[in-house]
């Protein structure tokens, strides 16, 4: 059993060893997290080359060297070569750096889950590495179910309104959220009935 956690990687150096299609997905995810990304790989995809040309990442088109990990917060080994992935793992272990390998021949410290993103809303899905395909299936199911994040944006704004309305009444604030955040409200959001949601908000604030 693994401990689920969301890492704050903004401005932290993260290294991806390998520059193929799988590596590109990992690189883009790290870029979305605003990490400083260093990619080491002999052959790179067009997408990775473009990111490097735009200055989004630092690309070193050569074989991996242990010193590539110096100063990094985490490393992802995403090559097709078991010996390279193991070398990356050994270098990470010596430096106390979190390691993730793309194959079953290396013991990863963490797993990159399938993720559903809707603005600031993120839902991570993991099968413990047993079936990435099943995790992707569940992700598609959740994506079809969820709204576009507009409800979360509304809740973020509403949180300030509720605190201003009940600054010294935590029990009242809790009761408000319990009354508003229901399956019915979520159903209205999926149908785009925002006016009805606003009516519900006013009722909950007044009751």
């Amino acid at each position: 059993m693994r401990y689920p956690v969301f890492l704050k990687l903004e401005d932290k150096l993260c290294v991806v060893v390998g520059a193929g299609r799988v590596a590109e997905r990992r690189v883009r995810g790290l870029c979305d997290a605003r990490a400083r990304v260093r990619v080491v790989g002999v052959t790179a995809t067009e997408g990775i080359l473009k990111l490097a040309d735009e200055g989004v990442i630092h690309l070193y088109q050569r074989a991996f060297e242990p010193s590539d990990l110096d100063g990094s917060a985490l490393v992802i080994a995403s090559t097709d070569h078991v010996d390279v992935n193991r070398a990356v793992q050994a270098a990470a272990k010596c430096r106390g750096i979190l390691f993730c390998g793309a194959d079953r021949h290396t013991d990863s410290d963490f797993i990159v889950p399938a993720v559903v993103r809707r603005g600031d809303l993120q839902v991570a899905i993991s099968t413990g590495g047993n079936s990435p395909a099943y995790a992707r299936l569940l992700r598609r199911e959740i994506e079809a179910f969820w709204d576009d994040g507009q409800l979360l944006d509304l809740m973020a704004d509403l949180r300030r309104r509720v605190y201003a309305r009940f600054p010294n009444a935590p029990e009242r604030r809790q009761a408000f959220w319990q009354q508003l955040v229901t399956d019915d409200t979520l159903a209205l959001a999926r149908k785009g009935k925002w006016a009805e949601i606003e009516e519900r908000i006013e009722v909950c604030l007044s009751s």
Side-chain angles (χ1 to χ4, degrees), residues 96-198:
I97 298 170
L98 290 174
F99 167 83
C100 177
D103 59 66
R104 287 185 170 273
H105 301 284
T106 51
D107 185 19
S108 297
D109 296 313
F110 66 96
I111 294 172
V112 179
V115 179
V116 177
R117 291 186 177 89
R118 294 291 186 272
D120 288 333
L121 176 66
Q122 296 187 72
V123 179
I125 306 156
S126 173
T127 59
N130 292 311
S131 179
Y134 184 47
R136 290 192 295 270
L137 173 63
L138 292 175
R139 181 191 65 196
R140 290 194 295 270
E141 290 290 323
I142 294 174
E143 285 176 334
F145 173 80
W146 227 281
D147 76 285
D148 62 0
Q150 189 173 349
L151 181 59
L152 179 60
D153 293 339
L154 176 63
M155 293 297 177
D157 179 67
L158 186 57
R159 186 178 182 184
R160 292 184 287 270
R161 289 169 56 188
V162 171
Y163 193 87
R165 184 72 171 268
F166 310 110
N168 301 311
E171 298 86 357
R172 185 65 188 84
R173 294 196 298 269
Q174 182 178 4
F176 168 84
W177 290 115
Q178 289 176 342
Q179 188 177 357
L180 177 67
V181 183
T182 64
D183 291 340
D184 290 341
T185 301
L186 184 58
L188 289 173
R190 291 200 198 100
K191 296 175 182 177
K193 296 185 177 182
W194 301 105
E196 292 188 32
I197 291 177
E198 285 291 347

Side-chain angles (χ1 to χ4, degrees), residues 31 33 45 50 55 67 73 95 98 112 114 132 137 168 186 204:
C31 289
T45 64
K50 187 173 185 294
S67 60
R95 291 164 173 77
L98 290 174
V112 179
L137 173 63
N168 301 311
L186 184 58
C204 293

Side-chain angles (χ1 to χ4, degrees), residues 15-28 30 38-45 48 64 69 74-89 99-104 106 108 110 112:
V15 179
V16 177
V17 180
R21 288 181 299 173
V22 175
E24 182 179 340
R25 292 200 298 271
R26 302 295 179 251
V27 167
R28 292 188 182 280
L30 291 169
R38 175 185 296 162
V39 180
V40 182
V42 177
T43 304
T45 64
I48 286 180
F64 167 73
L69 306 189
L74 61 80
V75 57
I76 298 175
S78 187
T79 79
D80 295 327
H81 304 286
V82 174
D83 56 339
V84 174
N85 292 343
R86 284 177 172 168
V88 176
Q89 180 185 21
F99 167 83
C100 177
D103 59 66
R104 287 185 170 273
T106 51
S108 297
F110 66 96
V112 179

